[in-house]
Amino acid sequence: AQSVTQPDIHITVSEGASLELRCNYSYGATPYLFWYVQSPGQGLQLLLKYFSGDTLVQGIKGFEAEFKRSQSSFNLRKPSVHWSDAAEYFCAVGASTGGFKTIFGAGTRLFVKA
Amino acid sequence: DARVTQTPRHKVTEMGQEVTMRCQPILGHNTVFWYRQTMMQGLELLAYFRNRAPLDDSGMPKDRFSAEMPDATLATLKIQPSEPRDSAVYFCASGLVPGTTDMGYTFGSGTRLTVV
């Protein structure tokens, strides 16, 4: 069974500063990895995903994430944060075999200060 | 853009009543997930289906929850009887798996359930 950990419950960054949100997973094979964003009162929107190939993945809204197998990590980054990026961010890990069961981390809430 | 449609958006019910939540997945998607989101537990996987067949419902309280897909355009989640601790936002998500480069799950807007 897989598991996923987002160590930071919340993070505050200044507008224009860079951002890195951490995600660590546990799974016996190469997982499917996802980052989703949720604005208050809304559903979840897919930012990016990794299945195979290039370990640096580009997503929407200027986000990218890097899969590091040796560290079991899939951290989300953005070079310059905008106030509209304030939201909750979820990392998810999907099994790459069988039923492709997908579970989510606890989320990291991002606050952006002017 | 194709959307996952969930109804109702909000539901307030009294303890002991039956609650049915519905989800219309995106046409052509073969996988449907049900998640529950609360402040305390975050996003919990309740159940999921592939080609309408249940694959895993180990996250659901079996005595009161049931999930079905009567056809490819409808997934339902029922709670009977409902309890205050069931108050949460219930999300449905659909996707096409396995192994496509477009794989990723599309979420509905959720059903906010309040049991009083």
Side-chain angles (χ1 to χ4, degrees):
Chain A
Q2 72 267 47
S3 66
V4 57
T5 302
Q6 293 182 247
D8 303 306
I9 296 173
H10 54 80
I11 282 182
T12 301
V13 300
S14 298
E15 191 169 17
S18 64
L19 170 71
E20 183 169 29
L21 301 181
R22 296 184 291 164
C23 173
N24 294 99
Y25 70 89
S26 174
Y27 182 62
T30 301
Y32 291 141
L33 295 163
F34 308 85
W35 275 99
Y36 283 83
V37 60
Q38 184 181 33
S39 298
Q42 303 296 313
L44 282 78
Q45 181 183 22
L46 180 66
L47 286 176
L48 47 77
K49 56 190 181 285
Y50 171 80
F51 302 139
S52 64
D54 192 347
T55 57
L56 185 62
V57 180
Q58 302 297 320
I60 63 171
K61 304 186 180 187
F63 286 92
E64 66 177 27
E66 186 171 12
F67 170 55
K68 293 186 177 180
R69 184 189 305 274
S70 62
Q71 299 177 19
S72 298
S73 69
F74 188 57
N75 294 348
L76 182 70
R77 301 193 294 249
K78 187 169 185 177
S80 177
V81 169
H82 187 263
W83 64 267
S84 61
D85 293 323
E88 188 144 23
Y89 292 80
F90 293 92
C91 180
V93 57
S96 53
T97 58
F100 299 91
K101 181 176 182 177
T102 301
I103 63 171
F104 282 78
T108 298
R109 182 166 293 279
L110 173 65
F111 296 96
V112 180
K113 59 182 181 181
Chain B
D1 286 344
R3 300 171 61 179
V4 174
T5 303
Q6 288 187 248
T7 56
R9 288 294 308 275
H10 303 273
K11 176 72 175 180
V12 180
T13 191
E14 291 184 348
M15 182 173 60
Q17 295 299 305
E18 178 178 300
V19 175
T20 299
M21 291 169 272
R22 293 176 174 80
C23 169
Q24 181 177 357
I26 291 173
L27 189 64
H29 281 185
N30 64 353
T31 302
V32 174
F33 294 84
W34 282 104
Y35 292 91
R36 175 171 64 183
Q37 186 176 36
T38 60
M39 290 291 291
M40 295 301 296
Q41 301 296 327
L43 274 162
E44 301 173 274
L45 177 62
L46 297 177
Y48 70 109
F49 295 77
R50 175 78 33 74
N51 297 320
R52 295 175 55 203
L55 288 188
D56 187 339
D57 61 1
S58 59
M60 290 199 314
K62 298 292 192 305
D63 56 337
R64 300 184 300 108
F65 284 60
S66 62
E68 296 179 341
M69 279 200 76
D71 61 61
T73 65
L74 178 63
T76 62
L77 180 66
K78 291 185 181 181
I79 309 174
Q80 169 62 23
S82 58
E83 297 180 2
R85 59 180 167 153
D86 301 328
S87 298
V89 181
Y90 291 80
F91 285 105
C92 172
S94 73
L96 180 62
V97 296
T100 68
T101 56
D102 289 332
M103 190 176 114
Y105 306 114
T106 301
F107 277 75
S109 298
T111 294
R112 181 175 295 275
L113 174 65
T114 302
V115 183
V116 299

